[in-house]
């Protein structure tokens, strides 16, 4: 417990270079403005064409800082992507915002106005003003965690991912939510959490919902439930946030030692296909388009060499030329192909070609020159 709290203190102390701004959006039915806190990623002002996943926070008054800290920390280690965070200040309006009809479990009165405000005004405003990608998340705690589930009831849900932190579940949500989750034809992400120190009445309904969701058969559903030990209704939030984010963005993370050893190196073939699929999933599921990381190229290269699947080096080189056309990476990989298939003359030629191109990652001009010299010596023997 103490170690976890210490880690969270480190996370929250990391400030990064993101830009935090205050904003507001008009509630047309009430002619009042609601306050927003917006965190723009470090690269936002530099890369003016890039779009970013959106994380929308109910209870932004107290959820904003812990979510921002976790995301900044994950981005620093390239485990999590840059994200636009929008926190809605609810403060004294919280209960009125989340008003539900006791007989239907649906928003009524001020709750209905709030629901329509989010879907019809707030999110369109954010999408118009900021460069938001297709992947949108929503998060809330207890009452607001319950309320966010209502967006699942829409025929075309506004959000792709839901973070429900110890929800005070509304009427029949234990059955309605699983029923909705069975119907999705697109990727849907759902996370909920509780703890052994949670409010008993709430915990029972959360547990029932967990059981029912686990019975859902839908390949498009990505679901996780955490039941934290030695945590309260409030402290569980700090444990839940990184767990939810790492669940949603698992496909974003670089190839790890575990992934390499347990998945990639055990393949009989298809190493380059594995790499392509990893980044295709990232784009299709999360709306994140990015060049393949150099270290991921090196991991696939290592698996090919270890399993002596040398023809795949040609495929890898083609992909490298596409991703990094001005670098020496593609020519280096073709040189590796020729070297390992016994065509030393062509290997020397490609290492020499690579020498003239831009260094990348751990590849340097000296390395290319040394390899070409070494293989030339073999030709003279």
């Amino acid at each position: 417990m103490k170690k976890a709290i210490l880690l969270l203190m480190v996370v929250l102390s990391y400030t990064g270079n993101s830009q935090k701004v205050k904003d507001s959006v008009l509630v047309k039915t009430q002619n009042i403005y609601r306050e927003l806190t917006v965190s723009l990623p470090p690269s936002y002002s530099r890369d003016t064409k890039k779009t970013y996943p959106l994380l929308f926070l109910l209870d932004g008054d107290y959820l904003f800082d812990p979510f921002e800290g976790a995301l900044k920390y994950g981005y620093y280690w390239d485990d999590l992507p840059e994200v636009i965070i929008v926190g809605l200040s609810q403060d004294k309006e919280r209960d009125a915002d989340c008003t539900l009809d006791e007989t239907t479990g649906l928003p009524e009165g001020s709750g209905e106005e709030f629901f329509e405000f989010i879907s019809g005004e707030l999110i369109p405003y954010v999408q118009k003003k900021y460069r938001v990608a297709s992947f949108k998340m929503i998060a809330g705690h207890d009452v607001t965690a319950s309320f966010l589930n209502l967006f699942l009831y829409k025929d075309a849900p506004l959000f792709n991912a839901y973070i429900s932190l110890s929800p005070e579940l509304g009427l029949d949500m234990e059955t309605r939510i699983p029923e909705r989750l069975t119907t999705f034809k697109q990727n849907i992400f759902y996370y909920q959490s509780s703890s052994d120190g949670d409010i008993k009445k709430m915990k029972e309904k959360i547990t029932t919902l967990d059981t029912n969701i686990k019975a859902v058969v839908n390949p498009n559903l990505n679901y996780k439930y955490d039941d934290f030990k030695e945590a309260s209704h409030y402290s569980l939030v700090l444990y839940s946030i990184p767990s939810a984010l790492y669940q949603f963005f698992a496909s974003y993370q670089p190839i790890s030692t575990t992934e390499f050893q347990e998945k990639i190196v055990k393949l009989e073939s298809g190493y380059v296909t594995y790499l392509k699929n990893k980044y295709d999933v990232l784009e299709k599921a999360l709306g994140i388009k990015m060049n393949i990381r150099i270290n991921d190229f090196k991991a696939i290269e290592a698996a090919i060499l270890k399993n002596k699947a040398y023809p795949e080096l040609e495929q890898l080189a083609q992909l490298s030329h596409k991703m990094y056309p001005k670098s020496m990476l593609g020519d280096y990989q073709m040189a590796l192909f020729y070297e390992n298939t016994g065509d030393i003359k062509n290997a020397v030629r490609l290492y020499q070609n690579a020498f003239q191109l831009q260094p990348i990652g751990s590849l340097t001009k000296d390395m290319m020159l040394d390899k070409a010299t070494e293989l030339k010596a073999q030709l003279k023997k």
Side-chain angles (χ1 to χ4, degrees):
M1 184 77 166
K2 290 181 179 179
K3 290 182 178 179
I5 296 298
L6 178 60
L7 173 59
L8 288 163
M9 289 173 65
V10 172
V11 166
L12 294 177
S13 67
Y14 172 68
T15 58
N17 296 310
S18 62
Q19 180 185 1
K20 185 185 291 187
V21 297
K22 291 294 183 180
D23 203 344
S24 61
V25 60
L26 177 66
V27 185
K28 295 178 181 178
T29 57
Q30 300 174 347
N31 198 31
I32 61 172
Y33 282 88
R34 295 294 295 264
E35 293 182 359
L36 304 174
T37 303
V38 181
S39 177
L40 300 176
S43 70
Y44 192 85
S45 59
R46 298 194 308 270
D47 192 345
T48 57
K49 294 183 179 180
K50 184 177 180 180
T51 59
Y52 303 84
L54 172 68
L55 171 61
F56 173 59
L57 301 175
L58 300 170
D59 283 324
D61 312 81
Y62 65 90
L63 288 182
F64 190 92
D65 286 343
F67 267 101
E68 184 185 37
L71 281 161
K72 285 180 175 179
Y73 185 83
Y75 173 70
Y76 180 85
W77 296 108
D78 198 25
D79 276 345
L80 297 174
E82 291 182 301
V83 170
I84 294 174
I85 310 171
V86 175
L88 175 67
S89 177
Q90 291 188 267
D91 196 20
K92 295 179 182 179
E93 293 89 358
R94 188 174 191 261
D95 289 336
D97 287 343
C98 299
T99 302
L100 303 181
D101 186 309
E102 293 183 359
T103 59
T104 66
L106 300 176
E108 72 163 355
S110 58
E112 185 175 7
E113 287 186 354
F114 182 65
F115 183 84
E116 295 301 330
F117 161 68
I118 291 175
S119 57
E121 297 174 39
L122 192 154
I123 297 301
Y125 169 82
V126 169
Q127 289 178 305
K128 183 177 180 180
K129 184 169 183 178
Y130 304 103
R131 298 196 305 275
V132 174
S134 59
F135 188 71
K136 298 186 289 296
M137 302 167 281
I138 185 171
H141 181 221
D142 58 51
V143 172
T144 61
S146 173
F147 191 85
L148 63 81
N149 287 298
L150 298 170
F151 292 100
L152 283 168
Y153 297 176
K154 295 175 71 70
D155 290 336
L158 189 60
F159 302 96
N160 312 91
Y162 299 76
I163 303 176
S164 180
L165 308 174
S166 186
E168 188 175 340
L169 292 169
L171 181 67
D172 295 332
M173 281 190 174
E174 308 97 301
T175 55
R176 289 178 176 177
I177 293 171
E179 287 173 358
R180 284 295 297 145
L181 293 176
T182 62
T183 65
F184 288 102
K185 304 300 182 183
Q186 72 274 26
N187 290 306
I188 191 81
F189 297 78
Y190 194 90
Y191 174 90
Q192 68 166 343
S193 63
S194 186
S195 69
D196 56 5
D198 212 341
I199 300 169
K200 186 176 180 181
K201 184 179 179 180
M202 292 169 54
K203 176 71 176 288
E204 290 174 353
K205 297 185 75 172
I206 294 170
T207 303
T208 301
L209 175 57
D210 171 58
T211 300
N212 292 339
I213 293 180
K214 285 177 177 174
V216 170
V217 180
N218 185 347
N220 299 311
L221 174 62
N222 184 318
Y223 171 67
K224 183 178 181 180
Y225 169 60
D226 279 324
D227 185 13
F228 295 102
K229 307 303 178 186
E230 300 182 11
S232 70
H233 176 69
Y234 300 99
S235 65
L236 68 84
V237 169
L238 294 178
Y239 295 97
S240 302
I241 289 172
S243 182
L245 293 173
Y246 274 79
Q247 172 204 351
F248 293 174
F249 293 116
S251 61
Y252 174 85
Q253 295 161 36
I255 294 173
S256 64
T257 301
T258 301
E259 183 179 2
F260 178 81
Q261 293 177 343
E262 296 184 0
K263 294 183 178 181
I264 299 173
V265 82
K266 291 182 178 180
L267 294 173
E268 294 182 0
S269 62
Y271 306 98
V272 179
T273 299
Y274 181 97
L275 183 62
K276 289 180 179 177
N277 288 344
K278 179 180 177 69
Y279 283 80
D280 285 346
V281 168
L282 181 61
E283 183 175 357
K284 291 175 182 177
L286 304 179
I288 299 174
K289 187 174 183 178
M290 59 184 289
N291 272 355
I292 296 172
R293 298 175 180 90
I294 302 304
N295 286 344
D296 286 353
F297 268 116
K298 296 299 289 183
I300 298 301
E301 174 193 311
I304 291 172
L305 294 174
K306 184 176 179 64
N307 290 294
K308 299 182 179 179
Y310 303 130
E312 290 214 24
L313 286 169
E314 286 189 280
Q315 300 174 40
L316 193 64
Q318 291 173 3
L319 189 58
S320 297
H321 281 304
K322 181 179 179 181
M323 293 286 158
Y324 301 99
K326 296 181 180 180
S327 82
M328 59 177 61
L329 184 61
D331 280 13
Y332 163 75
Q333 289 163 345
M334 279 304 301
L336 276 180
F337 164 72
Y338 286 123
E339 180 181 356
N340 284 279
T341 54
D343 190 344
I344 303 302
K345 185 176 180 180
N346 272 320
V348 170
R349 178 177 60 82
L350 266 298
Y351 281 127
Q352 289 174 333
N353 285 351
F355 173 82
Q356 302 174 59
L357 300 173
Q358 293 177 2
I360 187 169
S362 61
L363 303 180
T364 65
K365 288 182 177 292
D366 286 344
M367 185 187 301
M368 299 305 110
L369 185 59
D370 289 345
K371 288 293 295 183
T373 303
E374 176 187 337
L375 292 181
K376 276 184 179 180
Q378 291 184 26
L379 289 173
K380 294 178 181 180
K381 291 181 180 179

